[in-house]
């Protein structure tokens, strides 16, 4: 299931690496949506890292997610302000876990 298109309407439940987290967070199973203009649904992310490899400006880095049923690491928008909105990550994500929003 792809990222929830209504994630921005969910409450901010915290911050991580300088970006907001929205939605339900109950580790290790529920990790929420990380980021705003570059949003990654950690509940959907399968940890294949294609977004890290295609991003021309280094927005993403790995974050550990031990015990999550899809992967033990997730892509995290640690450098979200650097995004140039090329949408390469969004287009290449095989599970549609990323949503780019120019705000």
């Amino acid at each position: 299931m792809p990222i929830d298109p209504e994630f921005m309407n969910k409450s901010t439940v915290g911050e991580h690496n300088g970006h907001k987290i929205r939605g339900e967070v109950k580790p290790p199973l529920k990790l929420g949506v990380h980021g705003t203009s570059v949003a990654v649904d950690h509940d959907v992310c399968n940890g294949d890292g294609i977004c890290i490899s295609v991003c021309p400006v280094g927005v993403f880095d790995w974050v550990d997610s031990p015990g999550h049923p899809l992967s033990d690491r997730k892509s995290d928008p640690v450098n979200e302000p650097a995004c140039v909105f090329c949408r390469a990550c969004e287009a290449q994500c095989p599970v549609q876990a990323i949503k780019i929003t120019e705000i």
Side-chain angles (χ1 to χ4, degrees):
M1 184 160 94
I3 190 171
D4 179 359
E6 299 297 318
F7 77 91
M8 287 291 286
N9 296 329
K10 296 187 177 190
S11 300
T12 299
V13 295
E15 289 198 14
H16 178 254
N17 287 332
H19 58 264
K20 295 180 183 200
I21 303 171
R22 291 180 174 81
E24 185 178 9
V25 175
K26 292 183 179 175
L29 301 179
K30 300 293 278 179
L31 304 174
V33 176
H34 289 236
T36 302
S37 58
V38 180
V40 179
D41 190 333
H42 281 199
D43 298 329
V44 176
C45 177
N46 67 0
D48 73 346
I50 190 71
C51 53
I52 293 171
S53 64
V54 301
C55 182
V57 294
V59 167
F60 303 97
D61 201 357
W62 291 115
V63 66
D64 291 332
S65 57
H68 191 271
L70 295 180
S71 67
D72 285 334
R73 64 183 186 168
K74 306 290 182 180
S75 178
D76 202 38
V78 298
N79 195 17
E80 186 177 29
C83 183
V84 294
F85 306 106
C86 70
R87 292 183 164 75
C89 59
E90 187 178 63
Q92 294 296 316
C93 182
V95 293
Q96 299 175 327
I98 301 172
K99 176 69 178 157
I100 303 298
T101 306
E102 292 187 52
I103 49 174

